[in-house]
C-alpha cells in the first residue's frame, strides 16, 4: 500500500515538472510614443501643452515666430496625428532653431 | 562731480543686475511647466497595434501562433520606466521588458513564440518605476 502511494506521488511530481513550459524561443520588444529621454535631440527642449495652446502659439512663444510651427509638428509627428489637434498635458519636443547654436528662445 | 560719477556707476550696476534677472526668468518660465505626475491610465491587450501603438482590437483569448501586444497608455508629465512581466500559469516567467517613457503617450510591449504558446492562462504585470500599476490576464487556447 505504502509502495503504491509513493509511486502515485512520484507520478504527480513528474506531471507537475512536465508542466514547466519552454519559453526559451520567446521573442519580445517594445516601443513608445512617449519619447525616451535618450531620444531628445541635442539643443532641443520640452514643452508641456497647456489648455488653449496651438502649434502656432507654441512656435510664437518658443521661436518668436508662429510660422515655425511645422518644425514642432515634424519633431512630434509620432504623437500629433493632426496639427490642429494637440492635447493639454502632452510633452512636446521643441527642436533648436535652424542655424542657431542649439538654443531655443 | 565725484558724487555724480559714483551715482552713475551705481545706477548702471543696478540696471545690469535687473536685466540679468529678467533674462533668467524668461528662460525658466517657458521651459518648465509643472503638471500631474506620470501615471498609467489604461492597459489593453490585442493581436495587433496601429501606428499610435494602441491595440486595434482588445481581446482576452489568443491562439498559440499569435503575437500578443500590451498597449500601455500614460498620462501626466515627467519621466519613468515602464516594465512588462509576462507569466504563465503558476508564475513561470515568460519574458520581461522595460521601456523609458517621458510624459503622456502610448507604449507597447509584445511577445511572440515561434515554437507556439502552450495553452493555458497567462498574466502580464505592468509596473511604473518598479510599482505594479496593472495586472491583466489572458488565455491561450488551441481552438482560437
Amino acid at each position: 500500500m505504502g509502495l503504491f502511494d509513493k509511486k502515485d506521488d512520484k507520478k504527480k511530481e513528474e506531471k507537475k515538472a512536465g508542466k514547466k513550459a519552454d519559453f526559451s524561443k520567446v521573442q519580445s520588444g517594445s516601443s513608445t510614443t512617449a519619447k525616451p529621454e535618450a531620444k531628445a535631440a541635442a539643443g532641443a527642449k520640452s514643452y508641456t501643452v497647456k489648455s488653449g495652446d496651438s502649434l502656432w502659439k507654441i512656435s510664437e512663444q518658443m521661436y518668436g515666430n508662429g510660422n515655425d510651427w511645422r518644425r514642432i509638428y515634424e519633431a512630434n509627428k509620432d504623437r500629433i496625428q493632426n496639427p490642429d489637434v494637440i492635447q493639454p498635458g502632452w510633452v512636446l519636443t521643441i527642436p533648436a532653431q535652424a542655424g542657431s547654436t542649439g538654443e531655443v528662445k | 562731480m565725484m558724487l555724480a560719477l559714483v551715482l552713475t556707476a551705481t545706477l548702471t550696476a543696478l540696471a545690469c543686475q535687473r536685466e540679468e534677472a529678467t533674462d533668467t526668468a524668461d528662460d525658466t518660465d517657458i521651459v518648465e511647466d509643472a503638471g500631474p505626475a506620470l501615471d498609467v491610465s489604461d492597459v489593453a491587450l490585442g493581436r495587433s497595434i496601429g501606428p499610435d501603438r494602441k491595440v486595434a482590437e482588445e481581446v482576452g483569448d489568443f491562439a498559440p501562433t499569435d503575437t500578443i501586444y500590451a498597449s500601455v497608455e500614460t498620462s501626466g508629465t515627467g519621466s519613468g520606466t515602464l516594465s512588462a512581466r509576462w507569466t504563465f500559469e503558476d508564475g513561470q516567467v515568460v519574458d520581461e521588458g522595460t521601456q523609458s517613457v517621458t510624459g503622456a503617450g502610448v507604449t507597447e510591449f509584445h511577445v511572440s513564440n515561434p515554437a507556439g504558446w502552450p495553452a493555458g492562462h497567462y498574466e502580464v504585470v505592468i509596473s511604473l518605476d518598479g510599482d505594479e500599476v496593472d495586472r491583466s490576464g489572458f488565455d491561450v487556447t488551441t481552438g482560437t
Side-chain angles (χ1 to χ4, degrees):
Chain A
M1 188 70 180
L3 186 65
F4 287 118
D5 283 346
K6 274 187 183 175
K7 275 185 179 175
D8 283 346
D9 287 347
K10 198 176 178 185
K11 272 183 184 175
K12 278 179 190 172
E13 275 174 25
E14 280 172 358
K15 197 180 173 186
K16 202 176 173 183
K19 201 159 189 184
K20 283 277 179 200
D22 178 18
F23 294 112
S24 59
K25 291 189 171 68
V26 168
Q27 296 168 352
S28 63
S30 63
S31 62
T32 185
T33 63
K35 282 181 180 279
E37 301 101 320
K39 278 190 187 171
K45 292 191 176 181
S46 62
Y47 177 87
T48 305
V49 178
K50 294 190 285 274
S51 179
D53 273 346
S54 66
L55 289 182
W56 179 279
K57 274 187 189 174
I58 296 169
S59 174
E60 209 165 37
Q61 200 177 350
M62 302 302 276
Y63 299 136
N65 183 359
N67 283 316
D68 285 342
W69 65 268
R70 211 169 262 283
R71 289 179 54 73
I72 302 172
Y73 172 55
E74 292 294 334
N76 297 276
K77 249 183 168 175
D78 55 349
R79 172 164 310 161
I80 304 172
Q81 311 284 322
N82 177 350
D84 290 329
V85 181
I86 54 174
Q87 299 292 335
W90 282 0
V91 180
L92 301 181
T93 300
I94 310 295
Q97 270 180 301
S100 77
T101 54
E103 283 300 309
V104 178
K105 187 187 167 188
Chain B
M1 179 65 176
M2 193 63 175
L3 183 65
L5 276 173
V6 171
L7 203 61
T8 310
T10 311
L11 285 174
T12 310
L14 280 173
C16 286
Q17 276 179 4
R18 190 180 169 82
E19 200 172 316
E20 278 171 20
T22 309
D23 282 351
T24 312
D26 277 352
D27 286 346
T28 33
D29 208 9
I30 291 170
V31 177
E32 297 300 332
D33 293 306
L38 190 65
D39 197 14
V40 170
S41 48
D42 191 34
V43 176
L45 302 179
R47 295 188 186 94
S48 62
I49 54 167
D52 57 0
R53 271 50 160 212
K54 289 182 180 177
V55 295
E57 186 193 357
E58 199 170 339
V59 293
D61 289 296
F62 294 87
T65 53
D66 282 340
T67 294
I68 301 157
Y69 290 89
S71 178
V72 183
E73 218 167 319
T74 47
S75 59
T77 58
S79 299
T81 301
L82 278 175
S83 63
R85 182 181 167 93
W86 306 80
T87 56
F88 175 61
E89 296 284 350
D90 54 354
Q92 184 183 355
V93 177
V94 173
D95 188 78
E96 281 183 279
T98 61
Q99 176 76 52
S100 297
V101 296
T102 302
V106 182
T107 302
E108 63 82 16
F109 294 94
H110 63 267
V111 287
S112 61
N113 189 354
W117 296 113
H121 185 71
Y122 293 74
E123 271 190 348
V124 58
V125 174
I126 304 296
S127 302
L128 176 61
D129 291 330
D131 296 325
E132 183 179 327
V133 288
D134 188 87
R135 182 181 288 259
S136 305
F138 62 93
D139 294 299
V140 170
T141 51
T142 48
T144 307

